[in-house]
Amino acid sequence: MGYDVNAVRAKFPVTQQYLYLDSGLQSPLSLDVKEAVEGFLEESLYHGGPKSVWMDRLEAVRAKVAGFFGVSASEIAFTKNTSEGCNIIANALPLTAGDNVLMLQGDHPNNTYAFLNIEKKGVEIRFLPMTEIVNADSFKDAIDARTRAISLSHITFHAGHKFDIENIAAFCKQKGILLIVDAMQSVGVTPIDLKQIGVSIMVCGSHKGLLVPQGLGILYISKDVENLVPTFMAAASLENPPSDFIATRENMALKSSASRFEVGNYNLPTITALGAAIDLIESAGIGNIEAHLYGLGDRLLGHLDRLGVGLVGPRDRENRAPHIYVICLDADKWVPYFAKHNVRVSPERDGVRISFALFNTADDVDAFAEVLEKNL
């Protein structure tokens, strides 16, 4: 069925200035998001901070996020970013010396460092090779009786691998292992039903596929996950925050919901914007967006084959991301060249990364190929 890509594109003024192929780094803002942020600023400008209104809206957005992922609002917490979410979980897990966590070599460093940091507790971090296909079989020979968790990305930022998370989740459930997924590069571009997939914990930010500014993250903790203990505590963490704002040792019972990991004030402008962004994504349909992005990728691969230019990551749809394509080009040479032609892309480990978003079109792909061909 699809969606009206041109109507969505009209909401992103950046497309009038650049051939924007860099949403895997940072999504440009839409007019909907700008309007939502400006509405928040107007409220603050003229009303000085209607906190009760803002907190009601925060809970409405929390419910909207939960619906977007197919979970309950009590399983969603707001963080600053993916990295904070990874660190919250790494330190909350009830791990002791001798336990181990499995990860992929070369996955995002901020996920990795969060867990390497707890090796000082005597926890072992075991790295497995990152192959083009990663599924339950990738981990079967590496687990033992002390394996407590597997942590990995859903989609890799550096080459667009898309791992079989549902298959890995079923394996983890069978073995009694927690599955922690970094969905930073998959959220907003591919359907994610966390209950259906069977993920234990999910972390992500919202400045890529969720189309809002930096500074807001999402943490999902399944209600089935037990014994996670927050490292930090504030009144907002408590089941019954003291109405007189006097702390006592007798009142330290934590909320049972994921929001026990929220500490202090919230990024209210961006949470407001997130509500508008999710509305935009859902109006197009996340399945429609994924199909559209795969179509753009197929078109790009056709041009690369015609021009004799290689791809770093996987090619088949089953194992590749809808929107991330790393091209075998010297980034030091090509990124400045593309910049001179108003083409926004990113340097990556082994080439130049093209990352599409819901507003990109087939004409964008053809225009990119034309710019590429002129310098080959």
Side-chain angles (χ1 to χ4, degrees):
M1 183 172 61
Y3 63 99
D4 188 340
V5 179
N6 290 325
V8 170
R9 185 181 181 85
K11 296 176 179 288
F12 289 85
V14 72
T15 60
Q16 301 171 23
Q17 306 294 325
Y18 299 98
L19 178 51
Y20 198 90
L21 304 173
D22 206 16
S23 292
L25 175 69
Q26 168 71 58
S27 171
L29 300 189
S30 70
L31 296 175
D32 305 63
V33 166
K34 176 176 180 288
E35 182 180 353
V37 174
E38 287 178 342
F40 174 88
L41 295 178
E42 292 267 334
E43 290 170 341
S44 186
L45 188 66
Y46 293 109
H47 302 286
K51 190 168 183 179
S52 62
V53 172
W54 290 343
M55 297 309 292
D56 287 346
R57 183 183 300 140
L58 179 147
E59 294 306 328
V61 174
R62 190 195 305 275
K64 188 174 291 187
V65 169
F68 189 71
F69 289 115
V71 301
S72 68
S74 65
E75 297 172 301
I76 296 293
F78 291 114
T79 64
K80 289 189 298 186
N81 46 51
T82 312
S83 302
E84 184 178 56
C86 291
N87 276 274
I88 285 171
I89 294 304
N91 287 280
L93 291 171
L95 301 176
T96 58
D99 290 340
N100 65 77
V101 176
L102 306 186
M103 308 190 76
L104 296 176
Q105 184 67 45
D107 208 345
H108 199 287
N110 289 341
N111 185 6
T112 306
Y113 282 125
F115 284 91
L116 286 178
N117 189 46
I118 63 171
E119 283 195 315
K120 59 194 176 188
K121 299 179 180 179
V123 177
E124 179 189 2
I125 307 304
R126 296 180 178 176
F127 290 103
L128 282 68
M130 184 183 296
T131 53
E132 190 160 297
I133 298 174
V134 172
N135 55 28
D137 290 338
S138 307
F139 299 96
K140 285 180 178 177
D141 293 335
I143 68 166
D144 60 25
R146 299 297 298 274
T147 302
R148 303 298 182 223
I150 295 173
S151 184
L152 79 166
S153 295
H154 185 187
I155 288 174
T156 64
F157 72 100
H158 66 280
H161 302 86
K162 184 179 181 182
F163 299 138
D164 192 344
I165 296 299
E166 191 165 357
N167 177 253
I168 298 168
F171 168 74
C172 287
K173 183 176 181 180
Q174 178 187 13
K175 298 295 183 180
I177 298 169
L178 293 179
L179 177 60
I180 304 159
V181 173
D182 170 358
M184 182 72 255
Q185 290 292 356
S186 55
V187 62
V189 299
T190 191
I192 303 175
D193 186 320
L194 293 170
K195 291 298 183 188
Q196 178 180 327
I197 295 172
V199 170
S200 309
I201 295 165
M202 185 278 294
V203 296
C204 72
S206 54
H207 63 279
K208 302 182 192 291
L210 288 181
L211 310 176
V212 298
Q214 296 189 19
L216 177 65
I218 296 167
L219 170 61
Y220 159 74
I221 303 173
S222 169
K223 61 184 179 182
D224 297 328
V225 177
E226 300 177 341
N227 302 320
L228 296 186
V229 180
T231 300
F232 301 107
M233 178 180 286
S237 314
L238 302 179
E239 186 66 40
N240 296 296
S243 57
D244 58 5
F245 288 92
I246 297 175
T248 65
R249 292 185 179 88
E250 292 71 36
N251 182 18
M252 294 182 65
L254 296 170
K255 295 177 180 175
S256 58
S257 66
S259 62
R260 68 188 182 277
F261 290 94
E262 297 172 345
V263 179
N265 292 319
Y266 298 88
N267 184 346
L268 292 172
T270 306
I271 289 173
T272 300
L274 181 59
I278 290 177
D279 288 343
L280 175 59
I281 293 168
E282 291 188 327
S283 70
I286 189 67
N288 294 331
I289 293 170
E290 179 187 54
H292 175 67
L293 298 179
Y294 272 128
L296 297 182
D298 290 341
R299 194 177 188 93
L300 175 64
L301 292 176
H303 281 300
L304 296 181
D305 291 344
R306 176 177 60 82
L307 297 172
V309 178
L311 186 74
V312 173
R315 292 179 64 96
D316 63 283
R317 287 193 178 195
E318 185 178 358
N319 300 304
R320 84 175 199 239
H323 63 306
I324 292 179
Y325 302 87
V326 178
I327 302 173
C328 296
L329 299 172
D330 181 347
D332 290 340
K333 169 188 174 182
W334 282 93
V335 171
Y337 167 75
F338 286 130
K340 288 180 181 178
H341 290 78
N342 287 331
V343 179
R344 289 284 298 272
V345 294
S346 282
E348 208 33 83
R349 289 177 188 168
D350 300 306
V352 174
R353 185 180 69 186
I354 310 303
S355 49
F356 299 121
L358 73 169
F359 55 78
N360 288 119
T361 65
D363 288 344
D364 288 342
V365 180
D366 295 345
F368 172 79
E370 184 178 346
V371 174
L372 171 62
E373 187 171 10
K374 286 179 179 178
N375 199 41
L376 287 174

